[in-house]
Amino acid sequence: MDTITIVCPNCRSRLSVQNAPDIRDKMLTCPICKYKAKVNVFLMGTAAQGGLGASDEATRLPGSYQQQIKIDPGQMRVEQTGQICELRIGSQVLGRLANSGSADIQIGSETYKDEYMSRRHVQIDVVKTDTGIEHHLVEIGSKNIIQLNGEPIQRGDEIVLSFGDKLTLGKTNLTLEETDEEATRVI
């Protein structure tokens, strides 16, 4: 069966799928930006001719239009200390290391304490969906600053995160990463 090249209308990535009689009506999720639509949408208008930053080489999707489902709950890496905070399915509150702290994941050490991080600063919900795992950042009313990729978070926000996103809690920077099985765990 031959392949056709399509372009994601959201991120302009070129993709390659196996051609089939009913391919236009199949749902497809871009493996780059996670935009989801029928293949027909990927074929429409000028988007199908490529766009900003699109290379001539199409990204091959395994099994034609099927996506791979990620089941990695991920981890948060603290930039200042290298501390690895493993995430788990469900809700967890992140906050600074404190004797009276009640955060599920306490960030800091004897040598690194961020006085601008609340004891209960932000909540991360790791949720199973039909397409894999999603990470939701939930603002829980912290009095201190929360930024996502350099932009402030508003009260009551709930935002879906992607691997590589950078959080700033107070003055501490964390990065959401895929689980690193060989990482040294800091407890």
Side-chain angles (χ1 to χ4, degrees):
M1 209 175 254
D2 64 322
T3 60
I4 56 172
T5 299
I6 58 176
V7 176
C8 174
N10 186 47
C11 72
R12 305 282 192 228
S13 295
R14 300 182 123 226
L15 310 170
S16 179
V17 296
Q18 290 183 352
N19 197 4
D22 60 345
I23 190 70
R24 292 176 182 268
D25 295 321
K26 299 284 184 179
M27 291 300 290
L28 173 69
T29 301
C30 175
I32 309 299
C33 71
K34 309 302 182 222
Y35 178 82
K36 188 173 184 177
K38 288 187 176 182
V39 171
N40 194 43
V41 174
F42 286 73
L43 292 168
M44 294 173 63
T46 58
Q49 295 157 16
L52 300 174
S55 68
D56 291 332
E57 183 64 35
T59 302
R60 302 268 176 213
L61 298 176
S64 74
Y65 56 86
Q66 295 179 0
Q67 71 182 49
Q68 292 180 346
I69 296 175
K70 294 208 178 234
I71 56 170
D72 182 5
Q75 65 188 25
M76 300 296 294
R77 183 181 304 268
V78 181
E79 180 180 302
Q80 285 82 351
T81 65
Q83 179 182 2
I84 302 289
C85 306
E86 292 183 17
L87 299 175
R88 58 177 167 64
I89 302 296
S91 295
Q92 47 252 297
V93 174
L94 282 66
R96 82 167 183 267
L97 180 64
N99 290 336
S100 60
S102 60
D104 301 306
I105 298 175
Q106 295 189 10
I107 299 168
S109 66
E110 292 299 319
T111 58
Y112 179 80
K113 294 182 180 169
D114 182 351
E115 60 196 38
Y116 296 98
M117 186 188 305
S118 300
R119 283 178 263 174
R120 294 179 54 84
H121 204 107
V122 71
Q123 180 175 311
I124 303 288
D125 293 341
V126 181
V127 182
K128 286 184 183 180
T129 69
D130 291 341
T131 58
I133 299 286
E134 285 186 357
H135 299 83
H136 297 209
L137 171 98
V138 181
E139 195 282 326
I140 57 173
S142 172
K143 294 177 184 170
N144 294 311
I145 188 170
I146 302 171
Q147 291 185 343
L148 173 61
N149 298 321
E151 297 296 322
I153 299 301
Q154 303 302 314
R155 294 272 183 225
D157 276 357
E158 183 170 336
I159 301 167
V160 177
L161 300 173
S162 298
F163 288 125
D165 280 344
K166 297 188 182 303
L167 290 176
T168 302
L169 308 181
K171 293 188 175 184
T172 302
N173 300 315
L174 300 100
T175 303
L176 176 62
E177 302 176 335
E178 294 185 44
T179 302
D180 180 3
E181 296 299 327
E182 297 181 21
T184 303
R185 305 288 180 218
V186 178
I187 300 174

